[in-house]
Every structure is written in structure tokens, then in C-alpha cells.
């Protein structure tokens, strides 16, 4: 069993809990308070990349991540990582991209189970009409992230 390391990052949109093992980031979640921290080099690298992202410098993350989920969820999450910085896709776009255009609701369910916010950019997925729909961190954060990326993608 590998050790889990935990640290926190104070972002412009709230406190982010970063969890990692010896190899990769395993979760990035918005939280309201800190707990005991035990940082490793992967978390330090993640914090640096988050700093660059929030300053508008970093457009893609190149830190190792480990995602646990069903094969379908992993397929959706891999597709989310392909959405370019500053762009949006609909749930239907993702369903079509993974070869199952009828899986719109299932794509939404997989999106909802994403444990690595921002790095797996589920905030870039919107309704077919462009409306903001569910985001585990709250719709105001999703809006902020989309506006942030739009501002720096020009």
C-alpha cells in the first residue's frame, strides 16, 4: 500500500486540497479548511503548476496523475484532457468524441465523478446551449475558471 501525501493550495477561488502518492496526483478538491499536511515532491510540482495556471502562464498541466474509475469514466476523463485551454465542449460533444453519442447523461455522470479538478478540466464542459451545468466546486468557480481561461487565451 502506498502512502498518501496531502497538502493545500490557496487559490484565487478557494482552498484546494492536493493528494498524491509516490508517483502521481490522485485528487484535487475544493475544501473549506486545512487538515494535517505531509507534502512530497509531486505535490510541490503540482503547486508550482497551479501557480502558473492561476497567473495565466500555464495552459496545460504536465504532472502525472492517477485516476481511479470505470473504463468508461477513464475514457471520458482522457477526452476532457484534450479540450484546449480557453475552449468549451458540450456533454454531447464528449459523447460523440468517445464514439457513443447517446451517452450524454453517462458523460455527465463521469464528469461529476472527476476527482482531479482543474487538471482534468471538467469545468470546460457545458450544456448544449452553452449554459453552465453542474460543477462539484460550485457553478461560481466554473464560471471563474472559464472566464480566467478566456482572458488568458487571447
Amino acid at each position: 500500500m502506498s502512502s498518501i501525501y496531502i497538502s493545500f493550495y490557496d487559490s484565487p477561488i478557494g482552498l484546494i486540497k492536493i493528494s498524491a502518492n509516490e508517483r502521481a496526483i490522485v485528487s484535487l478538491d475544493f475544501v473549506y479548511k486545512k487538515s494535517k499536511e505531509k507534502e512530497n515532491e509531486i505535490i510541490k510540482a503540482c503547486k508550482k503548476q497551479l501557480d502558473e495556471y492561476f497567473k495565466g502562464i500555464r495552459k496545460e498541466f504536465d504532472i502525472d496523475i492517477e485516476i481511479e474509475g470505470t473504463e468508461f469514466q477513464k475514457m471520458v476523463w482522457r477526452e476532457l484532457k484534450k479540450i484546449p485551454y480557453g475552449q468549451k465542449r458540450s456533454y454531447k460533444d464528449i459523447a460523440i468524441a468517445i464514439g457513443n453519442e447517446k451517452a450524454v447523461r453517462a458523460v455527465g455522470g463521469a464528469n461529476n465523478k472527476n476527482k482531479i479538478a482543474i487538471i482534468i478540466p471538467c469545468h470546460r464542459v457545458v450544456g448544449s446551449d452553452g449554459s453552465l451545468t453542474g460543477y462539484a466546486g460550485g457553478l461560481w468557480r466554473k464560471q471563474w475558471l472559464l472566464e480566467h481561461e478566456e482572458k488568458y487565451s487571447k
Side-chain angles (χ1 to χ4, degrees), residues 121-137:
C122 56
H123 62 276
R124 296 179 189 154
V125 183
V126 297
S128 292
D129 62 357
S131 63
L132 296 189
T133 56
Y135 186 65

Side-chain angles (χ1 to χ4, degrees), residues 16 22 28 56 98 110 122 125:
I16 297 174
E22 291 89 359
L28 220 78
I98 63 170
C122 56
V125 183

Side-chain angles (χ1 to χ4, degrees), residues 22-136:
E22 291 89 359
R23 300 172 304 281
I25 297 298
V26 296
S27 72
L28 220 78
D29 299 305
F30 293 102
V31 297
Y32 294 101
K33 63 181 185 176
K34 292 183 179 183
S35 59
K36 188 174 178 183
E37 294 186 74
K38 183 180 178 189
E39 198 169 79
N40 67 1
E41 292 305 312
I42 291 167
I43 288 177
K44 288 178 187 172
C46 183
K47 285 181 173 182
K48 181 178 187 296
Q49 290 191 21
L50 285 169
D51 267 342
E52 294 166 351
Y53 172 83
F54 283 110
K55 289 176 181 169
I57 299 166
R58 177 169 293 276
K59 309 288 193 253
E60 290 181 32
F61 291 89
D62 61 5
I63 193 149
D64 291 332
I65 60 173
E66 282 186 16
I67 50 177
E68 288 196 20
T70 66
E71 284 309 310
F72 179 82
Q73 289 169 335
K74 289 178 184 180
M75 187 170 34
V76 169
W77 298 331
R78 283 189 296 271
E79 196 60 38
L80 297 182
K81 286 198 55 136
K82 295 177 186 176
I83 304 171
Y85 181 93
Q87 293 188 26
K88 298 176 232 163
R89 298 289 185 272
S90 71
Y91 294 96
K92 185 171 185 170
D93 292 335
I94 302 301
I96 291 168
I98 63 170
N100 189 349
E101 74 176 274
K102 295 194 185 304
V104 175
R105 285 184 186 266
V107 166
N111 213 37
N112 186 45
K113 299 267 191 280
N114 175 22
K115 292 185 187 318
I116 307 178
I118 302 172
I119 294 174
I120 298 177
C122 56
H123 62 276
R124 296 179 189 154
V125 183
V126 297
S128 292
D129 62 357
S131 63
L132 296 189
T133 56
Y135 186 65

